[in-house]
Amino acid sequence: MAGFRSLARQVRDVRCDLALRRYSLRKCLERFAPYGHRATWDHLCARHCIEPEDRAPDPARLVAALEELEKARAVWLAYEESFADRRKREKHDGLRRPATIDDWHRRTWGGNGVARCDRPAAHPSAPLDEVLRRLISALETEPGAGCPVCGGTRIVWRQDLANEPWFGPVCTGCGIVVPQPVLTSEAVAAAKRAGRKELASVA
């Protein structure tokens, strides 16, 4: 099975036909897709003017989309490295029980669904690396009341998410499933109340 870097080389390889180069970019998303596969693909297509179903897109646009993905992957890999170093130090110091943030991190290892978007067409518009920097900054500071990506405070608890964790707080501004560790307990409680109100209005 090809890794991310070998797939990236295929995307750049001018000797390959465009259909293969596009396919290789899609396969890169099986290795690293911050919003989830479909939402990350939708994001890259929107930002780089690629028709999602075009089998022979402009090669320069394909490469630009790949470069955005690579920048974001570099940000995430650096975070994972620092996270692993921290856990080693904690274990050495006798802290074996992982914190809440570690449980969240376990589900996103490798960068898939780091800022998962439950609805593929609803995702942040900023570059992926910028989104991940904002998210990492929030993970490394005290919990807050708003979305770490867009700063919005309209967060609603959903019980019917399409992927693990299956339920959680969703930002109605940018569409990400907000990692619970970045929210205060009051913000989580408010999101749950907002979710119950939405359910009541639908019923």
Side-chain angles (χ1 to χ4, degrees):
M1 183 185 286
F4 184 95
R5 284 182 292 184
S6 62
L7 288 166
R9 281 194 294 271
Q10 284 184 351
V11 176
R12 289 190 169 92
D13 192 342
V14 295
R15 296 167 300 177
C16 295
D17 66 41
L18 283 173
L20 176 60
R21 293 172 72 181
R22 174 192 178 277
Y23 174 77
S24 297
L25 180 59
R26 289 296 301 259
K27 292 294 281 184
C28 282
L29 300 184
E30 292 179 10
R31 312 299 184 275
F32 179 72
Y35 300 155
H37 190 284
R38 289 176 59 207
T40 305
W41 177 246
D42 190 86
H43 166 87
L44 292 173
C45 287
R47 278 188 52 81
H48 300 283
C49 302
I50 299 168
E51 284 298 324
E53 301 305 321
D54 186 356
R55 299 289 185 242
D58 181 337
R61 292 177 180 173
L62 277 179
V63 171
L66 172 66
E67 287 172 350
E68 178 177 347
L69 192 64
E70 286 175 324
K71 281 182 189 173
R73 183 170 178 263
V75 169
W76 187 250
L77 290 177
Y79 171 71
E80 284 195 332
E81 188 175 330
S82 68
F83 177 90
D85 288 344
R86 176 177 67 79
R87 283 299 295 142
K88 274 184 199 168
R89 288 194 306 273
E90 287 174 349
K91 286 178 181 177
H92 181 267
D93 294 339
L95 184 61
R96 295 282 170 182
R97 185 173 185 158
T100 310
I101 195 167
D102 300 327
D103 185 52
W104 170 83
H105 192 275
R106 176 186 53 78
R107 291 196 304 270
T108 60
W109 191 260
N112 285 310
V114 172
R116 185 170 296 284
C117 298
D118 195 54
R119 295 177 183 143
H123 47 73
S125 57
L128 286 170
D129 61 314
E130 186 178 318
V131 167
L132 291 188
R133 282 192 188 92
R134 291 176 191 171
L135 183 62
I136 289 166
S137 176
L139 290 166
E140 293 175 339
T141 56
E142 291 297 310
C147 172
V149 171
C150 71
T153 54
R154 179 93 174 97
I155 298 171
V156 177
W157 190 271
R158 303 240 191 259
Q159 295 282 5
D160 57 349
L161 300 180
N163 296 280
E164 192 182 359
W166 315 115
F167 54 85
V170 176
C171 176
T172 61
C174 67
I176 73 159
V177 179
V178 182
Q180 283 190 62
V182 307
L183 295 173
T184 63
S185 56
E186 293 82 7
V188 171
K192 288 181 178 178
R193 285 194 300 273
R196 284 194 293 271
K197 281 182 189 171
E198 280 201 358
L199 282 174
S201 67
V202 170

